[in-house]
Short mmCIF file of all heavy atoms in Angstrom, two decimals:
data_model
loop_
_atom_site.label_atom_id
_atom_site.label_comp_id
_atom_site.label_asym_id
_atom_site.label_seq_id
_atom_site.Cartn_x
_atom_site.Cartn_y
_atom_site.Cartn_z
N ARG A 31 0.95 25.06 14.74
CA ARG A 31 0.81 25.59 16.12
C ARG A 31 0.19 24.45 16.97
O ARG A 31 0.64 24.22 18.15
CB ARG A 31 -0.11 26.75 16.17
CG ARG A 31 -0.05 27.67 17.40
CD ARG A 31 1.07 28.69 17.21
NE ARG A 31 1.29 29.40 18.46
CZ ARG A 31 2.25 30.25 18.57
NH1 ARG A 31 3.19 30.38 17.76
NH2 ARG A 31 2.28 31.03 19.68
N LEU A 32 -0.66 23.70 16.44
CA LEU A 32 -1.28 22.51 17.20
C LEU A 32 -0.22 21.50 17.49
O LEU A 32 -0.15 20.96 18.59
CB LEU A 32 -2.40 21.89 16.25
CG LEU A 32 -2.87 20.61 16.91
CD1 LEU A 32 -3.54 20.77 18.22
CD2 LEU A 32 -4.05 19.97 15.84
N ALA A 33 0.62 21.21 16.46
CA ALA A 33 1.73 20.23 16.68
C ALA A 33 2.64 20.69 17.83
O ALA A 33 3.15 19.96 18.67
CB ALA A 33 2.52 20.00 15.40
N MET A 34 2.93 21.98 17.83
CA MET A 34 3.83 22.59 18.89
C MET A 34 3.13 22.45 20.26
O MET A 34 3.85 22.02 21.26
CB MET A 34 4.05 23.96 18.66
CG MET A 34 5.10 24.66 19.58
SD MET A 34 4.94 26.39 19.53
CE MET A 34 3.66 26.75 20.56
N ILE A 35 1.91 22.75 20.42
CA ILE A 35 1.20 22.55 21.66
C ILE A 35 1.20 21.24 22.18
O ILE A 35 1.43 20.85 23.41
CB ILE A 35 -0.23 23.14 21.58
CG1 ILE A 35 -0.28 24.74 21.28
CG2 ILE A 35 -0.99 22.93 22.88
CD1 ILE A 35 0.49 25.50 22.37
N LEU A 36 0.94 20.17 21.23
CA LEU A 36 0.99 18.92 21.62
C LEU A 36 2.41 18.40 22.07
O LEU A 36 2.44 17.62 23.13
CB LEU A 36 0.52 17.96 20.46
CG LEU A 36 -0.92 18.04 20.00
CD1 LEU A 36 -1.21 17.28 18.74
CD2 LEU A 36 -1.95 17.58 21.09
N ALA A 37 3.31 18.89 21.50
CA ALA A 37 4.70 18.59 21.86
C ALA A 37 5.10 19.09 23.30
O ALA A 37 5.67 18.41 24.09
CB ALA A 37 5.74 19.16 20.83
N VAL A 38 4.66 20.31 23.52
CA VAL A 38 4.86 20.91 24.91
C VAL A 38 4.11 20.23 25.88
O VAL A 38 4.63 19.92 27.00
CB VAL A 38 4.49 22.33 24.83
CG1 VAL A 38 4.64 23.00 26.24
CG2 VAL A 38 5.36 23.18 23.89
N LEU A 39 2.89 19.74 25.64
CA LEU A 39 2.14 19.07 26.62
C LEU A 39 2.70 17.60 26.91
O LEU A 39 2.63 17.15 28.07
CB LEU A 39 0.62 18.76 26.01
CG LEU A 39 -0.31 20.03 26.07
CD1 LEU A 39 -1.48 19.72 25.41
CD2 LEU A 39 -0.57 20.48 27.51
N GLU A 40 3.33 17.03 25.95
CA GLU A 40 3.98 15.74 26.20
C GLU A 40 5.32 15.89 26.82
O GLU A 40 5.64 15.23 27.79
CB GLU A 40 4.14 15.05 24.83
CG GLU A 40 2.93 14.57 24.13
CD GLU A 40 3.11 13.35 23.23
OE1 GLU A 40 4.14 12.70 23.30
OE2 GLU A 40 2.15 13.11 22.47
N ALA A 41 6.14 16.88 26.40
CA ALA A 41 7.51 17.01 26.97
C ALA A 41 7.43 17.70 28.27
O ALA A 41 8.37 17.39 29.12
CB ALA A 41 8.36 17.81 25.86
N ARG A 42 6.62 18.74 28.54
CA ARG A 42 6.72 19.45 29.79
C ARG A 42 5.67 19.10 30.79
O ARG A 42 5.85 19.44 31.97
CB ARG A 42 6.55 20.98 29.43
CG ARG A 42 7.55 21.37 28.32
CD ARG A 42 8.94 21.47 28.75
NE ARG A 42 9.81 22.02 27.76
CZ ARG A 42 11.20 22.02 27.86
NH1 ARG A 42 11.75 21.53 28.85
NH2 ARG A 42 11.89 22.58 26.83
N CYS A 43 4.59 18.41 30.27
CA CYS A 43 3.46 18.26 31.27
C CYS A 43 3.22 16.74 31.53
O CYS A 43 2.25 16.41 32.26
CB CYS A 43 2.21 18.89 30.69
SG CYS A 43 2.42 20.72 30.38
N GLY A 44 3.93 15.95 30.76
CA GLY A 44 3.74 14.42 31.09
C GLY A 44 2.51 13.83 30.44
O GLY A 44 2.07 12.74 30.90
N LEU A 45 1.81 14.55 29.52
CA LEU A 45 0.61 13.89 28.87
C LEU A 45 0.97 13.28 27.64
O LEU A 45 1.96 13.68 26.90
CB LEU A 45 -0.35 15.10 28.58
CG LEU A 45 -0.92 15.86 29.79
CD1 LEU A 45 -1.92 16.83 29.35
CD2 LEU A 45 -1.55 14.91 30.89
N SER A 46 0.39 12.21 27.25
CA SER A 46 0.65 11.45 26.06
C SER A 46 -0.54 11.54 25.07
O SER A 46 -1.67 11.10 25.26
CB SER A 46 0.95 9.94 26.46
OG SER A 46 1.17 9.17 25.39
N PHE A 47 -0.15 12.02 23.95
CA PHE A 47 -1.07 12.02 22.72
C PHE A 47 -0.63 11.29 21.60
O PHE A 47 -1.19 11.23 20.39
CB PHE A 47 -1.30 13.47 22.21
CG PHE A 47 -1.93 14.42 23.11
CD1 PHE A 47 -1.25 15.11 24.22
CD2 PHE A 47 -3.33 14.51 23.17
CE1 PHE A 47 -1.89 15.98 25.02
CE2 PHE A 47 -4.01 15.40 24.05
CZ PHE A 47 -3.30 16.07 25.07
N SER A 48 0.54 10.44 21.82
CA SER A 48 1.17 9.74 20.68
C SER A 48 0.18 8.61 20.12
O SER A 48 0.41 8.29 18.99
CB SER A 48 2.46 9.15 21.15
OG SER A 48 2.38 8.34 22.23
N SER A 49 -0.60 7.99 20.94
CA SER A 49 -1.46 6.95 20.46
C SER A 49 -2.90 7.31 20.34
O SER A 49 -3.79 6.57 20.49
CB SER A 49 -1.36 5.78 21.55
OG SER A 49 -1.80 6.22 22.83
N ALA A 50 -3.23 8.64 20.08
CA ALA A 50 -4.50 9.11 19.99
C ALA A 50 -4.66 10.04 18.78
O ALA A 50 -3.70 10.79 18.48
CB ALA A 50 -4.95 9.85 21.31
N GLU A 51 -5.84 10.08 18.19
CA GLU A 51 -6.10 10.96 17.17
C GLU A 51 -6.52 12.16 17.81
O GLU A 51 -7.24 12.23 18.71
CB GLU A 51 -7.13 10.44 16.26
CG GLU A 51 -6.62 9.26 15.24
CD GLU A 51 -7.69 8.93 14.27
OE1 GLU A 51 -8.94 9.19 14.53
OE2 GLU A 51 -7.39 8.30 13.24
N VAL A 52 -6.10 13.37 17.23
CA VAL A 52 -6.44 14.72 17.76
C VAL A 52 -7.11 15.49 16.65
O VAL A 52 -6.62 15.73 15.56
CB VAL A 52 -5.23 15.43 18.32
CG1 VAL A 52 -5.55 16.76 18.79
CG2 VAL A 52 -4.54 14.62 19.39
N TYR A 53 -8.37 16.14 17.03
CA TYR A 53 -9.08 16.97 16.15
C TYR A 53 -9.29 18.28 16.82
O TYR A 53 -9.77 18.27 18.00
CB TYR A 53 -10.36 16.33 15.76
CG TYR A 53 -10.27 14.95 15.05
CD1 TYR A 53 -10.26 13.82 15.74
CD2 TYR A 53 -10.10 14.86 13.77
CE1 TYR A 53 -10.13 12.60 15.21
CE2 TYR A 53 -10.01 13.68 13.05
CZ TYR A 53 -9.89 12.50 13.81
OH TYR A 53 -9.91 11.29 13.19
N LEU A 54 -9.06 19.34 16.21
CA LEU A 54 -9.25 20.79 16.80
C LEU A 54 -10.08 21.62 15.73
O LEU A 54 -9.76 21.57 14.57
CB LEU A 54 -7.87 21.41 17.02
CG LEU A 54 -8.08 22.67 17.98
CD1 LEU A 54 -8.21 22.33 19.36
CD2 LEU A 54 -6.73 23.54 17.85
N ASN A 55 -11.08 22.32 16.31
CA ASN A 55 -11.92 23.00 15.47
C ASN A 55 -12.25 24.33 16.09
O ASN A 55 -12.51 24.35 17.23
CB ASN A 55 -13.23 22.27 15.15
CG ASN A 55 -14.16 23.06 14.33
OD1 ASN A 55 -13.90 23.62 13.25
ND2 ASN A 55 -15.43 23.27 14.86
N ILE A 56 -12.31 25.45 15.30
CA ILE A 56 -12.82 26.70 15.70
C ILE A 56 -14.24 26.85 15.30
O ILE A 56 -14.60 26.82 14.13
CB ILE A 56 -12.03 27.83 15.19
CG1 ILE A 56 -10.46 27.61 15.45
CG2 ILE A 56 -12.41 29.31 15.74
CD1 ILE A 56 -10.09 27.61 16.86
N ALA A 57 -15.23 27.00 16.30
CA ALA A 57 -16.65 26.93 15.93
C ALA A 57 -17.06 28.08 15.10
O ALA A 57 -16.42 29.20 15.22
CB ALA A 57 -17.43 26.92 17.24
N GLY A 58 -18.03 27.86 14.21
CA GLY A 58 -18.47 28.92 13.40
C GLY A 58 -17.74 29.26 12.14
O GLY A 58 -18.15 30.21 11.45
N GLY A 59 -16.79 28.50 11.85
CA GLY A 59 -15.92 28.75 10.68
C GLY A 59 -14.90 29.94 10.82
O GLY A 59 -14.51 30.36 9.81
N TYR A 60 -14.80 30.43 12.02
CA TYR A 60 -13.77 31.54 12.24
C TYR A 60 -12.46 31.01 12.18
O TYR A 60 -12.09 29.84 12.51
CB TYR A 60 -14.07 32.14 13.60
CG TYR A 60 -13.43 33.45 13.89
CD1 TYR A 60 -13.98 34.60 13.41
CD2 TYR A 60 -12.28 33.47 14.67
CE1 TYR A 60 -13.25 35.81 13.68
CE2 TYR A 60 -11.70 34.59 14.92
CZ TYR A 60 -12.18 35.86 14.44
OH TYR A 60 -11.55 37.00 14.79
N ARG A 61 -11.51 31.92 11.70
CA ARG A 61 -10.12 31.48 11.71
C ARG A 61 -9.27 32.37 12.63
O ARG A 61 -9.33 33.58 12.59
CB ARG A 61 -9.54 31.67 10.19
CG ARG A 61 -8.03 31.27 10.13
CD ARG A 61 -7.55 30.98 8.71
NE ARG A 61 -6.22 30.55 8.70
CZ ARG A 61 -5.83 29.24 9.00
NH1 ARG A 61 -6.72 28.35 9.24
NH2 ARG A 61 -4.58 28.94 8.94
N VAL A 62 -8.61 31.64 13.53
CA VAL A 62 -7.74 32.31 14.56
C VAL A 62 -6.28 32.34 14.19
O VAL A 62 -5.77 31.29 13.83
CB VAL A 62 -8.04 31.64 15.98
CG1 VAL A 62 -7.08 32.32 17.02
CG2 VAL A 62 -9.38 31.73 16.37
N GLN A 63 -5.69 33.61 14.30
CA GLN A 63 -4.34 33.77 14.10
C GLN A 63 -3.59 34.33 15.26
O GLN A 63 -2.42 34.65 15.28
CB GLN A 63 -4.04 34.66 12.87
CG GLN A 63 -4.64 34.07 11.58
CD GLN A 63 -4.41 34.91 10.35
OE1 GLN A 63 -4.23 36.12 10.52
NE2 GLN A 63 -4.63 34.40 9.12
N ASP A 64 -4.31 34.52 16.28
CA ASP A 64 -3.89 35.27 17.52
C ASP A 64 -3.00 34.21 18.39
O ASP A 64 -3.50 33.14 18.65
CB ASP A 64 -5.00 35.68 18.41
CG ASP A 64 -4.59 36.70 19.49
OD1 ASP A 64 -3.43 36.64 19.80
OD2 ASP A 64 -5.47 37.29 20.02
N PRO A 65 -1.76 34.42 18.60
CA PRO A 65 -0.94 33.48 19.43
C PRO A 65 -1.45 33.37 20.84
O PRO A 65 -1.13 32.35 21.52
CB PRO A 65 0.44 34.22 19.52
CG PRO A 65 0.22 35.67 19.22
CD PRO A 65 -0.98 35.66 18.25
N ALA A 66 -2.32 34.23 21.29
CA ALA A 66 -2.92 34.10 22.66
C ALA A 66 -3.89 32.91 22.66
O ALA A 66 -4.30 32.49 23.80
CB ALA A 66 -3.69 35.40 22.97
N ALA A 67 -4.16 32.25 21.56
CA ALA A 67 -5.02 31.11 21.54
C ALA A 67 -4.30 29.80 22.06
O ALA A 67 -5.00 28.72 22.26
CB ALA A 67 -5.59 30.82 20.23
N ASP A 68 -3.00 29.88 22.27
CA ASP A 68 -2.31 28.64 22.67
C ASP A 68 -2.89 28.07 23.92
O ASP A 68 -3.16 26.78 24.02
CB ASP A 68 -0.84 28.99 22.90
CG ASP A 68 -0.13 29.37 21.72
OD1 ASP A 68 -0.71 29.18 20.61
OD2 ASP A 68 1.04 29.83 21.70
N MET A 69 -3.15 28.83 24.99
CA MET A 69 -3.64 28.32 26.22
C MET A 69 -5.03 27.84 26.07
O MET A 69 -5.40 26.81 26.79
CB MET A 69 -3.58 29.54 27.38
CG MET A 69 -3.54 28.98 28.75
SD MET A 69 -2.97 30.17 29.95
CE MET A 69 -3.49 29.54 31.50
N ALA A 70 -5.85 28.53 25.45
CA ALA A 70 -7.21 27.96 25.22
C ALA A 70 -7.22 26.66 24.49
O ALA A 70 -7.95 25.78 24.70
CB ALA A 70 -8.07 29.01 24.39
N ALA A 71 -6.40 26.53 23.40
CA ALA A 71 -6.35 25.28 22.69
C ALA A 71 -5.72 24.11 23.66
O ALA A 71 -6.24 22.97 23.59
CB ALA A 71 -5.41 25.37 21.48
N ALA A 72 -4.78 24.46 24.58
CA ALA A 72 -4.28 23.57 25.40
C ALA A 72 -5.30 23.03 26.39
O ALA A 72 -5.46 21.94 26.83
CB ALA A 72 -3.02 24.12 26.12
N ALA A 73 -6.19 24.07 26.88
CA ALA A 73 -7.25 23.73 27.77
C ALA A 73 -8.22 22.73 27.14
O ALA A 73 -8.71 21.81 27.80
CB ALA A 73 -7.92 25.00 28.25
N ALA A 74 -8.57 22.95 25.89
CA ALA A 74 -9.54 22.17 25.15
C ALA A 74 -8.97 20.80 24.97
O ALA A 74 -9.65 19.78 25.19
CB ALA A 74 -9.90 22.82 23.81
N LEU A 75 -7.57 20.66 24.68
CA LEU A 75 -7.03 19.39 24.45
C LEU A 75 -6.91 18.60 25.78
O LEU A 75 -7.23 17.37 25.86
CB LEU A 75 -5.52 19.53 23.97
CG LEU A 75 -5.50 20.10 22.55
CD1 LEU A 75 -4.10 20.45 22.12
CD2 LEU A 75 -6.05 18.99 21.58
#
């Protein structure tokens, strides 16, 4: 899901992550499976 969001940000929004390391974490050890988290992850990125 992270790879998909990065691809959409590059292809549709003109942002470049190809030369950067990307780390994403859900605080507290919680695991998210909700597809509604796409926009929140994009906002954090």
